[in-house]
Amino acid sequence: MRTYLTTIGLEVHVQLKTASKMFCTNSAEYFGAQPNSHVCPVCLGLPGALPVANEKAIESVTRFALALNCRINKQSKFDRKNYFYPDLPKGYQISQFDLPIGEQGWLELDGKKIGITRVHLEEDTGKLIHANVNGEKVSLIDFNRSGVPLMEIVTEPDIESPEEARSFSKLIHQIARYLEVSNADMEKAGMRFDANVSIRPRGATKLGNKVEIKNINSFRFLEKALAYEIGRQVEILESGGKIIQETRGWVESKNVTVSQRTKETSPDYRYFPEPDLPPLVFEQAQIEALKNSLPELPAEKSKRFEEEYSLDKKYVRILTEDSNVAQWYEKALSLYSKEKSKILANWVVEELLRIIHDKNLIINGVPIEPAGLIELLTILDKGEINQTTARRVLVRMFETGNLPSRIVNEENLAQLSKSEDLESVVEEIIRENQKAVKDFKNGKEASIGFLVGQIMSKTKGQANPKTAETLVRKKIYGNQSGS
Amino acid sequence: MNDLFKLTLKQAAEGLKTKEFSSKELTTSVLDRIKKIDPKIGSFLLVTESIAFKQAEKADKLISENQILSYLTGIPFALKDIIVTKDIKTTAGSKILSDFIPPYSATVYEKLEGQSAVLVGKTNLDEFGMGASTENSAYQVTKNPWDLSCVPGGSSGGSAAAIAADLAIYSIGADTGGSVRQPSSLCGVVGLKPTYGRISRYGLIAMASSLDQIGVITKNAEDAALALKEISGYDSRDSNSVEKEVPDYEKFLKDDLKGLKIGVPKEFLSEGVDIKVKETIKRAFTQLEKIGAKLIDLSLPRLKEAIAVYYLIMPSEVSANMARFDGIRFGKERGEFGPEVKRRIMLGTYALSSGYYDAYYLKAAKVRTLIREEFKSAFEKVDVIAGPTSPVLPFKIGERADDPLQMYLADILTVPVNLAGVPAISIPCGLVDGLPVGLQIIGDHWQEGKILNTAFAYEKNYPFNDKPKL
């Protein structure tokens, strides 16, 4: 079998987080709402209704385009994209054709530049629901989603594998959240993908015929659909066939792509400028101001975390995945000590985020402030509690919302470091484990560990293991010398 | 008292203010007139009698409390059936919308309701405003009150005929390529299309969005000034409406035209214009000169491209605007569209198709800009531009119905105004063989005051007192 090179270009659709829809004042937060409860004459496309552009959405897309290093068109506009589908109430979608908000950008993914062809703004469509009503098969239309602002990002064909496509999409998702332009909620179809893919034998310069895969709604499916499609194309070429340029749909339930339409039957959208909306005009100063207002982006933040806090790549990746987590970490670190950045990173990643993940929470929704964790770590550093207790206290902090000092006091969790606190426990353990004592006396040094372990377990981890060990040795040798 | 329907808007408003009569009496008089006369004319698709009485009652209460909200309070008006009215059937003259009860009202109707105006009915039109004779209505033919065998013009034929026949005190129409001015000319009444963006289009069922503009049809220029003021203004629901103060147009109305420069483009009196119309218009020019205006010869060579440009841009927008009537949500199949609507959908779809867009739509859009610029530079030299509204007298019903191209040429003098987005008014300036001729006065953007003044001074000095015999 020959080896093949893969060429992928993506179209990523991201629903924007705005209070109202793209062209009317209805709430855009439609998820889970009663069908057709978030509708008005505008998003229902009733005769006579007119669109009014959502300025927040325009700003969001402009910021996003800037974050993707795009050139912002000072003269932009909306266009009508004409096509028929029952979920498109006006018979055309208001989108952008030849003058998108942003063009010619790039995004770095693991050291490689992926070209961004364009970033534009459009409106989402309604949704068809195929149901069985009174034994009859019917198609129902829910217009709640109709008119929700949608950002489309189109890449150059610079992506070379399904894995890279997935990583790229995740990066887009991450940036959307960093900029707070979208929740890009995968469960709520807040992000959707179309992928163009072609293969060519290694050494060939001419790209193969491309196939567009539509309607993919998760990172995993994107990777799977592309992998399937590449496999399908390789099989065709290997058996001497030809790839037909066509549009295929990803069928989740069967893990396959199926043909939807070929190039010959592809629609002519008859784009023309939307006469109901005046052109968008951006001043240079406005663009500069938006550029300057951009937050630190994932790539810069990762780099800074690595350099400034000397953290491992793995921890950096986890801490910077969500800008809220990164912010939380840095706030905590500012209350702690920069030298202890690794210890803190370890606590945040291994303990805090693990609990958050297990409980299906988000960092901004937890009852623990950075100051609370730092108080806990300070108590730990002072030796008032040990590592095991500290982990227990953290769990209790989640459960009670109380500060660690209060939990330690109220629940009597302070470490037993003084000899007199441990004397009776040590005596008891020695009494009950004469065999181990004998072994130790006979030179089996490891037995001391067992005895200390027993003490730790008896004190539910509160005993200071060093104090306990000293005491055990003292008791055993004391007994010996006394015999 | 029985002749209250004859009153102008100004007279009716004064009568209500002085409590000479009530809104209910005025409304009754108009409704009785409609019952008696409209069967001959066919202006109305729907007479909203019970709504009218309710609104009149409300107006009378306000008047009795000396709470007159505007000139329009308590005055019966007719609304072109292409403007949506909540809970009142709105058909756009099309079978496609034969059962459409809008769940919302147009801004213009909300404004009128807010001033306690009285809606007597919804008037006939060419389907979705597409036509120049009102013969394209899916429901009925409207007749010209001056000669019942003639068309009233279109597309606002119902609104214009209603005013000519005193079936409402004033009416509201919409003008995409002349649909307010041309029927006003053919019916011997005053029709004003303001600057694009002056009156909110929200709730006006779109024909060609970049050209559509609501306008008023009245018995004289003074009424046009009064009505225009009350329905104009910025609307946050129409992105093309402009945040610009609405002047008190009444203040522009003076009896003479001293110092006014009127441009007379030779293209407006070229060979396509009926010789009798031409003579009447030339007489009007002389009269304008007599009351102080200075006539300045102009040439606007781009005007000859206007029809071609219009018949590319308009159908292109039509093809998209009609797409929502897809047979899914309004209960009617697309086969219910009339032939003219189908023709324009096909023309527009073609003009926008890939491979043709650059040659048709895009080229037309560029020439449109040139036409706009040509007007702009003309208005650096003159205050207003004058000429005929319609190149021909009212034509016979059926005469042009089978010849779309002839019908399209009826718009030849009015479409340039929509392409440029400037305001224009048509006023009657005489009769030829018992049929009215309209004088069109065009102003620069936002210069409604100037064209209203020109119209007012003309009619004060050379009043058009004829009325159709009905």
Side-chain angles (χ1 to χ4, degrees):
Chain A
M1 199 175 100
R2 289 176 289 180
T3 51
Y4 290 91
L5 298 176
T6 301
T7 304
I8 298 168
L10 288 179
E11 287 174 25
V12 185
H13 291 91
V14 182
Q15 271 186 0
L16 297 178
K17 183 170 70 177
T18 50
S20 55
K21 291 187 180 181
M22 187 56 226
F23 297 114
C24 62
T25 54
N26 266 291
S27 165
E29 195 53 66
Y30 66 88
F31 194 78
Q34 192 71 14
N36 296 310
S37 61
H38 286 212
V39 293
C40 75
V42 178
C43 57
L44 283 174
L46 291 188
L50 296 172
V52 175
N54 184 327
E55 285 178 24
K56 175 84 192 296
I58 294 168
E59 191 190 292
S60 294
V61 172
T62 311
R63 289 175 67 232
F64 199 89
L66 285 167
L68 267 48
N69 306 293
C70 285
R71 171 171 65 78
I72 303 300
N73 279 317
K74 287 187 184 150
Q75 281 271 356
S76 181
K77 66 181 166 70
F78 289 104
D79 298 278
R80 291 186 180 178
K81 179 182 181 179
N82 297 287
Y83 69 92
F84 166 77
Y85 206 68
D87 65 8
L88 187 68
K90 296 189 295 296
Y92 57 84
Q93 179 189 30
I94 304 178
S95 180
Q96 296 194 284
F97 182 51
D98 53 339
L99 291 171
I101 290 180
E103 281 185 284
Q104 296 169 7
W106 53 266
L107 193 57
E108 200 172 296
L109 178 71
D110 301 327
K112 172 184 165 184
K113 268 189 185 177
I114 307 283
I116 305 295
T117 315
R118 53 189 279 145
V119 179
H120 78 244
L121 182 53
E122 61 187 26
E123 57 178 338
D124 212 337
T125 62
K127 205 176 164 182
L128 287 183
I129 299 159
H130 304 288
N132 212 303
V133 175
N134 300 329
E136 207 185 333
K137 276 189 177 174
V138 292
S139 294
L140 306 167
I141 316 176
D142 176 5
F143 287 107
N144 282 348
R145 197 179 71 181
S146 169
V148 166
L150 207 55
M151 171 168 66
E152 183 174 327
I153 300 129
V154 181
T155 76
E156 291 292 306
D158 292 344
I159 298 167
E160 292 164 303
S161 70
E163 298 73 34
E164 198 172 77
R166 179 181 177 152
S167 304
F168 177 82
S169 309
K170 283 193 143 178
L171 183 56
I172 291 288
H173 179 261
Q174 189 184 21
I175 294 172
R177 296 183 63 124
Y178 260 60
L179 296 184
E180 295 180 333
V181 301
S182 172
N183 289 329
D185 217 323
M186 303 309 290
E187 286 81 46
K188 299 178 185 173
M191 210 172 158
R192 276 124 54 194
F193 313 94
D194 298 335
N196 282 295
V197 56
S198 68
I199 61 166
R200 64 182 199 276
R202 186 176 289 282
T205 44
K206 195 171 168 281
L207 291 181
N209 277 343
K210 68 175 179 183
V211 167
E212 185 179 17
I213 315 171
K214 278 199 160 315
N215 301 326
I216 308 166
N217 59 17
S218 83
F219 302 123
R220 198 162 54 88
F221 289 151
L222 175 65
E223 193 176 339
K224 278 171 89 172
L226 282 168
Y228 172 85
E229 180 56 27
I230 292 163
R232 189 187 71 88
Q233 293 187 16
V234 167
E235 215 167 282
I236 291 173
L237 292 185
E238 282 297 302
S239 59
K242 264 190 172 169
I243 307 297
I244 306 163
Q245 184 165 336
E246 61 180 343
T247 299
R248 300 179 70 88
W250 169 247
V251 184
E252 243 173 74
S253 54
K254 295 181 183 152
N255 281 336
V256 295
T257 63
V258 295
S259 180
Q260 286 182 334
R261 59 173 186 246
T262 57
K263 195 188 169 199
E264 284 67 39
T265 55
S266 80
D268 175 359
Y269 292 121
R270 305 189 308 280
Y271 282 101
F272 74 101
E274 166 57 277
D276 286 330
L277 294 165
L280 302 172
V281 181
F282 294 95
E283 303 287 341
Q284 188 57 37
Q286 215 178 338
I287 297 170
E288 291 300 323
L290 284 175
K291 204 173 198 167
N292 294 333
S293 77
L294 292 180
E296 186 180 35
L297 294 167
E300 304 162 42
K301 203 184 280 292
S302 305
K303 193 159 174 264
R304 187 170 61 80
F305 269 45
E306 263 180 59
E307 287 167 3
E308 209 172 317
Y309 307 132
S310 326
L311 298 177
D312 289 351
K313 276 204 159 56
K314 178 195 156 201
Y315 278 0
V316 169
R317 192 177 50 75
I318 296 170
L319 287 175
T320 59
E321 191 173 309
D322 176 346
S323 62
N324 292 314
V325 171
Q327 202 184 359
W328 202 99
Y329 171 81
E330 291 203 283
K331 173 116 192 270
L333 192 63
S334 73
L335 300 170
Y336 199 33
S337 151
K338 211 170 159 181
E339 287 72 55
K340 295 180 179 168
S341 59
K342 285 183 175 173
I343 297 172
L344 180 63
N346 189 57
W347 268 88
V348 170
V349 173
E350 304 294 347
E351 307 299 334
L352 186 74
L353 291 179
R354 191 180 45 78
I355 301 172
I356 286 174
H357 182 79
D358 289 349
K359 292 186 190 273
N360 213 0
L361 296 170
I362 53 162
I363 190 123
N364 288 347
V366 300
I368 296 179
E369 294 287 320
L373 180 64
I374 298 310
E375 190 187 305
L376 178 67
L377 296 186
T378 309
I379 297 170
L380 174 67
D381 290 347
K382 283 185 190 156
E384 288 172 23
I385 56 174
N386 61 28
Q387 198 83 12
T388 316
T389 309
R391 288 195 194 102
R392 251 171 75 197
V393 173
L394 186 65
V395 174
R396 292 293 293 149
M397 285 165 74
F398 265 93
E399 288 163 2
T400 62
N402 289 337
L403 284 175
S405 51
R406 186 169 157 194
I407 293 169
V408 169
N409 279 335
E410 283 182 1
E411 303 183 16
N412 263 323
L413 296 174
Q415 183 159 258
L416 305 172
S417 302
K418 292 183 189 140
S419 306
E420 51 264 44
D421 294 334
L422 290 175
E423 200 120 10
S424 61
V425 183
V426 171
E427 279 169 7
E428 199 182 327
I429 293 298
I430 287 175
R431 222 176 18 251
E432 287 169 5
N433 295 283
Q434 280 302 315
K435 187 176 178 298
V437 173
K438 204 181 220 166
D439 288 348
F440 177 67
K441 281 178 178 169
N442 291 336
K444 196 178 172 192
E445 189 61 22
S447 297
I448 193 91
F450 169 77
L451 291 167
V452 170
Q454 292 297 304
I455 293 161
M456 294 309 289
S457 133
K458 196 103 192 168
T459 59
K460 295 191 178 94
Q462 274 173 268
N464 181 328
K466 277 189 187 138
T467 314
E469 191 182 327
T470 316
L471 214 53
V472 170
R473 287 183 189 276
K474 213 169 116 194
K475 289 275 172 200
I476 292 174
Y477 292 127
N479 284 351
Q480 203 176 30
S481 65
S483 64
Chain B
M1 285 293 264
N2 291 334
D3 286 352
L4 293 177
F5 61 81
K6 285 185 178 163
L7 298 177
T8 65
L9 168 55
K10 182 80 183 278
Q11 290 164 341
E14 266 159 18
L16 289 177
K17 195 175 169 193
T18 56
K19 302 192 173 67
E20 200 183 312
F21 47 82
S22 67
S23 171
K24 193 180 172 195
E25 286 165 318
L26 179 63
T27 302
T28 307
S29 170
V30 169
L31 287 168
D32 286 350
R33 173 81 176 171
I34 293 172
K35 262 177 223 156
K36 196 172 144 214
I37 301 293
D38 202 45
K40 279 193 262 183
I41 309 288
S43 282
F44 287 89
L45 288 173
L46 180 74
V47 177
T48 51
E49 185 170 320
S50 62
I51 291 163
F53 280 127
K54 252 183 241 157
Q55 289 174 335
E57 205 174 298
K58 196 176 142 213
D60 279 332
K61 190 163 175 287
L62 287 167
I63 294 164
S64 72
E65 292 161 357
N66 291 320
Q67 294 239 340
I68 296 177
L69 304 169
S70 83
Y71 269 116
L72 307 184
T73 304
I75 312 280
F77 74 99
L79 191 61
K80 186 178 184 180
D81 202 27
I82 199 164
I83 294 171
V84 303
T85 40
K86 185 169 192 272
D87 302 332
I88 304 168
K89 192 161 87 171
T90 302
T91 67
S94 179
K95 283 277 187 252
I96 288 269
L97 290 177
S98 59
D99 303 318
F100 180 53
I101 312 279
Y104 80 107
S105 282
T107 297
V108 72
Y109 184 61
E110 274 184 0
K111 277 190 175 230
L112 289 161
E113 269 190 310
Q115 293 165 40
S116 240
V118 176
L119 177 72
V120 290
K122 310 236 12 212
T123 48
N124 196 23
L125 66 154
D126 288 300
E127 185 174 5
F128 288 105
M130 300 182 204
S133 69
T134 313
E135 290 165 292
N136 292 336
S137 164
Y139 297 97
Q140 64 200 37
V141 172
T142 299
K143 287 150 193 143
N144 191 317
W146 294 87
D147 179 344
L148 299 181
S149 69
C150 286
V151 301
S155 67
S156 308
S159 296
I163 299 310
D166 288 323
L167 307 180
I169 303 298
Y170 68 99
S171 69
I172 308 284
D175 189 316
T176 306
S179 284
V180 160
R181 289 159 290 152
Q182 186 259 12
S184 296
S185 172
L186 268 51
C187 290
V189 294
V190 171
L192 168 66
K193 180 209 90 78
T195 309
Y196 184 78
R198 177 79 290 181
I199 299 172
S200 169
R201 288 190 301 120
Y202 189 76
L204 166 65
I205 298 178
M207 172 165 107
S209 314
S210 74
L211 300 157
D212 295 342
Q213 178 61 61
I214 289 173
V216 294
I217 298 172
T218 56
K219 295 177 182 178
N220 62 31
E222 185 177 38
D223 284 4
L226 304 182
L228 176 65
K229 176 173 182 275
E230 307 302 350
I231 62 170
S232 290
Y234 173 69
D235 179 10
S236 61
R237 293 179 294 189
D238 175 358
S239 307
N240 288 319
S241 86
V242 177
E243 246 175 318
K244 207 172 164 67
E245 198 196 336
V246 180
D248 184 356
Y249 295 113
E250 211 181 347
K251 292 214 173 98
F252 288 88
L253 309 180
K254 292 179 298 178
D255 289 356
D256 67 69
L257 297 176
K258 273 196 196 84
L260 189 86
K261 284 182 275 184
I262 300 179
V264 180
K266 63 172 190 235
E267 291 79 5
F268 272 11
L269 291 170
S270 58
E271 57 268 42
V273 180
D274 183 309
I275 187 78
K276 287 172 181 167
V277 171
K278 225 184 268 190
E279 280 166 12
T280 313
I281 294 296
K282 281 183 174 163
R283 190 183 65 213
F285 287 160
T286 319
Q287 292 167 330
L288 286 165
E289 257 182 322
K290 280 186 190 152
I291 55 173
K294 191 166 177 253
L295 297 184
I296 294 169
D297 287 332
L298 281 183
S299 175
L300 301 173
R302 292 283 171 199
L303 289 188
K304 65 177 189 296
E305 308 333 332
I307 280 283
V309 169
Y310 179 77
Y311 277 94
L312 285 169
I313 289 178
M314 178 272 293
S316 295
E317 294 183 16
V318 163
S319 72
N321 285 333
M322 294 298 121
R324 71 194 64 201
F325 305 110
D326 54 10
I328 293 176
R329 286 155 309 131
F330 298 96
K332 290 286 188 305
E333 295 291 332
R334 304 191 75 177
E336 298 280 347
F337 276 134
E340 183 58 30
V341 179
K342 286 180 185 164
R343 183 154 38 237
R344 294 191 190 190
I345 291 172
M346 286 189 284
L347 280 171
T349 304
Y350 184 76
L352 291 174
S353 318
S354 131
Y356 297 99
Y357 177 86
D358 288 358
Y360 294 130
Y361 181 88
L362 195 62
K363 181 72 76 58
K366 285 177 181 166
V367 180
R368 180 182 187 175
T369 306
L370 296 177
I371 291 173
R372 181 184 273 262
E373 281 165 5
E374 198 167 81
F375 270 106
K376 204 85 220 154
S377 59
F379 284 119
E380 282 164 15
K381 290 177 240 146
V382 298
D383 295 296
V384 299
I385 290 169
T389 306
S390 163
V392 294
L393 292 166
F395 44 91
K396 296 286 182 197
I397 291 167
E399 188 184 320
R400 296 186 175 202
D402 297 328
D403 190 346
L405 207 57
Q406 269 298 307
M407 197 67 97
Y408 293 172
L409 290 173
D411 297 332
I412 197 158
L413 302 173
T414 45
V415 294
V417 168
N418 299 76
L419 291 170
V422 293
I425 192 168
S426 176
I427 58 169
C429 64
L431 291 176
V432 171
D433 307 331
L435 293 169
V437 174
L439 170 70
Q440 183 175 213
I441 304 156
I442 306 165
D444 199 358
H445 287 102
W446 311 106
Q447 297 303 320
E448 284 82 358
K450 276 187 190 168
I451 60 174
L452 281 163
N453 176 35
T454 313
F456 178 81
Y458 179 82
E459 74 184 14
K460 272 286 153 192
N461 290 282
Y462 304 98
F464 180 77
N465 290 326
D466 296 285
K467 279 274 185 185
K469 286 165 193 67
L470 288 162

